[in-house]
Amino acid sequence: MVGVVAAMLGAPVLAQASPEQDLKAFRHFFEQRFPGVPLKAYADGEWIPGINSEDAISQYKSIMEFPPQDEGIAAGKRLFDKPFANGKTYASCFPKGGIGIRQNYPYFDKQTGQVVTLESAINDCRVKNGEKPLPWQKGKLAEISAYMASTSDGKLLHVTVPNDPAALAAYERGKDFFYAKRGQLNFSCAACHMAHAGQKLRTQTLSPALGMLNGFPVYRAKWSNLGTVDRRFIGCNKQVRAKPFKPQSVEYRDLEYFISYMSNGIPITGPGYRN
């Protein structure tokens, strides 16, 4: 990844870089592209002064007087607190009872050798307690995730990549996915959310990749409800006319791992609002 960013900045290309080096180069890219925008501002996605227009941000502030995602948060809390058939609740599956932990997801689980997202952990909790898993992209799972995210509002994202070959491999796969071109339109995640960040795609401002997932799950005006990271990844793949992967595939979990690590130190603002 450092090689791609370095090429964008006209700097020497490194064959291999550590996650820490990647993070430094990633931030530097956006510091150069949007001078004066503080790091914490990237948590707001497309609603950033200096990136989006004053009119758009004014409209956003007006919408946030009565945030449409609040209904989903309330529904998520009811679901989170409702006992399973065995009498236990989601709180039994998570550290600190699931409150104020969103900033630690996703993480790499050495026992399973896979990245664990907040949504996968929620469904794992259900299965362990004799319940069926919920659909991945919207509905109850998005609402539960939204409630849990809301309890971490303002906490800084803190995703770790252990010095473990399997963890580093997952990180590298996510990094490769982010920069690989795909689909009939031959676009990469980086093409939209780095090279063209802040520009318009039809009527929508392309959000910067930095801090992009800190607001997930999100309420999108286009959806008129909440959606998970999977829903957004699948939508992006379809937009570039690429065949999407299945929700919570290794590809999408590793991609979420990489993008989240790149946004370490930026506050959690989920569930956010996007167009």
Side-chain angles (χ1 to χ4, degrees):
M1 189 280 287
V2 166
V4 178
V5 174
M8 289 180 176
L9 300 174
V13 174
L14 301 178
Q16 186 68 31
S18 68
E20 293 82 4
Q21 290 173 314
D22 285 344
L23 176 58
K24 184 178 179 180
F26 202 86
R27 285 186 182 176
H28 184 67
F29 174 86
F30 284 101
E31 288 170 356
Q32 296 294 306
R33 182 162 177 77
F34 301 113
V37 174
L39 182 65
K40 66 179 182 180
Y42 285 94
D44 291 326
E46 64 199 78
W47 312 112
I48 305 173
I51 295 179
N52 211 331
S53 69
E54 291 183 7
D55 286 346
I57 293 172
S58 178
Q59 291 175 21
Y60 166 71
K61 290 180 178 179
S62 178
I63 292 169
M64 287 301 100
E65 291 180 8
F66 300 97
Q69 60 266 45
D70 280 358
E71 184 177 343
I73 295 173
K77 185 180 189 309
R78 290 192 295 270
L79 291 164
F80 185 84
D81 292 336
K82 182 179 179 180
F84 301 127
N86 64 6
K88 294 184 178 181
T89 65
Y90 291 99
S92 67
C93 297
F94 294 93
K96 299 182 180 180
I99 304 302
I101 62 170
R102 162 66 180 90
Q103 69 278 6
N104 300 321
Y105 286 82
Y107 69 88
F108 185 81
D109 183 18
K110 291 185 179 181
Q111 289 187 336
T112 63
Q114 294 186 343
V115 171
V116 176
T117 67
L118 183 57
E119 286 76 22
S120 70
I122 291 169
N123 262 342
D124 282 347
C125 178
R126 291 183 59 82
V127 172
K128 288 175 183 176
N129 283 282
E131 306 286 336
K132 293 182 179 180
L134 296 168
W136 292 109
Q137 297 186 57
K138 57 182 178 179
K140 292 180 179 180
L141 182 64
E143 290 170 347
I144 296 166
S145 180
Y147 166 66
M148 294 180 70
S150 74
T151 68
S152 286
D153 185 49
K155 293 182 182 291
L156 303 183
L157 189 63
H158 183 66
V159 172
T160 61
V161 180
N163 187 20
D164 174 271
L168 289 168
Y171 170 86
E172 290 293 333
R173 289 193 301 267
K175 179 170 64 175
D176 290 344
F177 190 109
F178 183 80
Y179 284 98
K181 293 183 178 181
R182 57 179 43 82
Q184 293 179 351
L185 298 185
N186 200 33
F187 271 88
S188 65
C189 304
C192 286
H193 298 289
M194 290 188 76
H196 296 291
Q199 297 179 13
K200 292 285 187 181
L201 180 62
R202 300 184 180 90
T203 60
Q204 184 180 349
T205 299
L206 293 169
S207 60
L210 187 62
M212 185 165 60
L213 299 188
N214 294 52
F216 273 79
V218 296
Y219 182 103
R220 290 193 73 196
K222 178 180 179 180
W223 297 336
S224 296
N225 54 33
L226 288 165
T228 63
V229 175
D230 276 303
R231 188 176 182 182
R232 194 68 195 98
F233 285 167
I234 288 170
C236 285
N237 279 174
K238 288 180 178 178
Q239 285 179 319
V240 300
R241 299 177 188 172
K243 183 179 179 180
F245 294 93
K246 292 182 179 180
Q248 290 297 301
S249 62
V250 170
E251 291 81 3
Y252 285 158
R253 280 186 280 117
D254 291 347
L255 176 61
E256 183 176 346
Y257 193 39
F258 168 73
I259 299 176
S260 297
Y261 184 87
M262 289 298 103
S263 298
N264 272 344
I266 298 175
I268 294 295
T269 56
Y273 175 88
R274 303 290 185 266
N275 274 330

PDB file of all heavy atoms in Angstrom, residues 91 94-101 103-104 155:
ATOM      1  N   ALA A  91     -25.327  -9.032  25.906  1.00  0.00           N
ATOM      2  CA  ALA A  91     -24.310  -8.552  26.834  1.00  0.00           C
ATOM      3  C   ALA A  91     -23.427  -9.678  27.361  1.00  0.00           C
ATOM      4  O   ALA A  91     -22.252  -9.459  27.682  1.00  0.00           O
ATOM      5  CB  ALA A  91     -24.973  -7.815  27.998  1.00  0.00           C
ATOM      6  N   PHE A  94     -20.001 -10.285  25.245  1.00  0.00           N
ATOM      7  CA  PHE A  94     -19.005  -9.256  24.961  1.00  0.00           C
ATOM      8  C   PHE A  94     -18.324  -8.740  26.227  1.00  0.00           C
ATOM      9  O   PHE A  94     -18.932  -8.707  27.296  1.00  0.00           O
ATOM     10  CB  PHE A  94     -19.670  -8.070  24.246  1.00  0.00           C
ATOM     11  CG  PHE A  94     -20.202  -8.384  22.882  1.00  0.00           C
ATOM     12  CD1 PHE A  94     -21.527  -8.770  22.714  1.00  0.00           C
ATOM     13  CD2 PHE A  94     -19.390  -8.306  21.761  1.00  0.00           C
ATOM     14  CE1 PHE A  94     -22.032  -9.060  21.455  1.00  0.00           C
ATOM     15  CE2 PHE A  94     -19.878  -8.592  20.504  1.00  0.00           C
ATOM     16  CZ  PHE A  94     -21.197  -8.970  20.341  1.00  0.00           C
ATOM     17  N   PRO A  95     -17.069  -8.307  26.086  1.00  0.00           N
ATOM     18  CA  PRO A  95     -16.444  -7.628  27.216  1.00  0.00           C
ATOM     19  C   PRO A  95     -17.212  -6.352  27.550  1.00  0.00           C
ATOM     20  O   PRO A  95     -17.803  -5.731  26.667  1.00  0.00           O
ATOM     21  CB  PRO A  95     -15.030  -7.311  26.704  1.00  0.00           C
ATOM     22  CG  PRO A  95     -15.037  -7.559  25.246  1.00  0.00           C
ATOM     23  CD  PRO A  95     -16.207  -8.411  24.914  1.00  0.00           C
ATOM     24  N   LYS A  96     -17.228  -6.000  28.818  1.00  0.00           N
ATOM     25  CA  LYS A  96     -17.932  -4.812  29.316  1.00  0.00           C
ATOM     26  C   LYS A  96     -19.413  -4.837  28.956  1.00  0.00           C
ATOM     27  O   LYS A  96     -20.043  -3.776  28.812  1.00  0.00           O
ATOM     28  CB  LYS A  96     -17.279  -3.534  28.767  1.00  0.00           C
ATOM     29  CG  LYS A  96     -15.824  -3.360  29.189  1.00  0.00           C
ATOM     30  CD  LYS A  96     -15.241  -2.074  28.658  1.00  0.00           C
ATOM     31  CE  LYS A  96     -13.778  -1.918  29.088  1.00  0.00           C
ATOM     32  NZ  LYS A  96     -13.183  -0.656  28.568  1.00  0.00           N
ATOM     33  N   GLY A  97     -19.959  -6.031  28.787  1.00  0.00           N
ATOM     34  CA  GLY A  97     -21.371  -6.152  28.465  1.00  0.00           C
ATOM     35  C   GLY A  97     -21.735  -5.567  27.118  1.00  0.00           C
ATOM     36  O   GLY A  97     -22.907  -5.280  26.842  1.00  0.00           O
ATOM     37  N   GLY A  98     -20.737  -5.416  26.225  1.00  0.00           N
ATOM     38  CA  GLY A  98     -20.993  -4.906  24.880  1.00  0.00           C
ATOM     39  C   GLY A  98     -21.109  -3.396  24.793  1.00  0.00           C
ATOM     40  O   GLY A  98     -21.360  -2.857  23.707  1.00  0.00           O
ATOM     41  N   ILE A  99     -20.915  -2.696  25.911  1.00  0.00           N
ATOM     42  CA  ILE A  99     -21.072  -1.243  25.931  1.00  0.00           C
ATOM     43  C   ILE A  99     -19.705  -0.562  25.796  1.00  0.00           C
ATOM     44  O   ILE A  99     -18.766  -0.859  26.547  1.00  0.00           O
ATOM     45  CB  ILE A  99     -21.755  -0.785  27.239  1.00  0.00           C
ATOM     46  CG1 ILE A  99     -23.102  -1.493  27.406  1.00  0.00           C
ATOM     47  CG2 ILE A  99     -21.924   0.729  27.260  1.00  0.00           C
ATOM     48  CD1 ILE A  99     -24.085  -1.277  26.271  1.00  0.00           C
ATOM     49  N   GLY A 100     -19.606   0.352  24.840  1.00  0.00           N
ATOM     50  CA  GLY A 100     -18.376   1.122  24.661  1.00  0.00           C
ATOM     51  C   GLY A 100     -17.203   0.327  24.133  1.00  0.00           C
ATOM     52  O   GLY A 100     -16.045   0.610  24.479  1.00  0.00           O
ATOM     53  N   ILE A 101     -17.471  -0.633  23.221  1.00  0.00           N
ATOM     54  CA  ILE A 101     -16.394  -1.484  22.705  1.00  0.00           C
ATOM     55  C   ILE A 101     -16.238  -1.414  21.181  1.00  0.00           C
ATOM     56  O   ILE A 101     -15.351  -2.042  20.622  1.00  0.00           O
ATOM     57  CB  ILE A 101     -16.588  -2.952  23.118  1.00  0.00           C
ATOM     58  CG1 ILE A 101     -17.897  -3.517  22.540  1.00  0.00           C
ATOM     59  CG2 ILE A 101     -16.555  -3.096  24.638  1.00  0.00           C
ATOM     60  CD1 ILE A 101     -18.044  -5.016  22.695  1.00  0.00           C
ATOM     61  N   GLN A 103     -14.959   0.620  19.226  1.00  0.00           N
ATOM     62  CA  GLN A 103     -13.670   1.109  18.744  1.00  0.00           C
ATOM     63  C   GLN A 103     -12.618   0.013  18.609  1.00  0.00           C
ATOM     64  O   GLN A 103     -11.575   0.227  18.003  1.00  0.00           O
ATOM     65  CB  GLN A 103     -13.148   2.224  19.653  1.00  0.00           C
ATOM     66  CG  GLN A 103     -12.726   1.778  21.042  1.00  0.00           C
ATOM     67  CD  GLN A 103     -13.895   1.647  22.010  1.00  0.00           C
ATOM     68  OE1 GLN A 103     -15.051   1.778  21.628  1.00  0.00           O
ATOM     69  NE2 GLN A 103     -13.587   1.409  23.268  1.00  0.00           N
ATOM     70  N   ASN A 104     -12.892  -1.143  19.173  1.00  0.00           N
ATOM     71  CA  ASN A 104     -11.922  -2.257  19.120  1.00  0.00           C
ATOM     72  C   ASN A 104     -12.202  -3.250  17.992  1.00  0.00           C
ATOM     73  O   ASN A 104     -11.531  -4.278  17.898  1.00  0.00           O
ATOM     74  CB  ASN A 104     -11.933  -2.998  20.455  1.00  0.00           C
ATOM     75  CG  ASN A 104     -11.566  -2.091  21.615  1.00  0.00           C
ATOM     76  OD1 ASN A 104     -10.687  -1.240  21.494  1.00  0.00           O
ATOM     77  ND2 ASN A 104     -12.247  -2.247  22.739  1.00  0.00           N
ATOM     78  N   LYS A 155     -15.161   7.780  21.196  1.00  0.00           N
ATOM     79  CA  LYS A 155     -13.974   6.980  21.505  1.00  0.00           C
ATOM     80  C   LYS A 155     -13.127   6.811  20.243  1.00  0.00           C
ATOM     81  O   LYS A 155     -13.655   6.695  19.143  1.00  0.00           O
ATOM     82  CB  LYS A 155     -14.376   5.608  22.063  1.00  0.00           C
ATOM     83  CG  LYS A 155     -15.058   5.674  23.433  1.00  0.00           C
ATOM     84  CD  LYS A 155     -15.375   4.280  23.936  1.00  0.00           C
ATOM     85  CE  LYS A 155     -16.095   4.313  25.287  1.00  0.00           C
ATOM     86  NZ  LYS A 155     -15.198   4.778  26.362  1.00  0.00           N
TER      87      LYS A 155
END
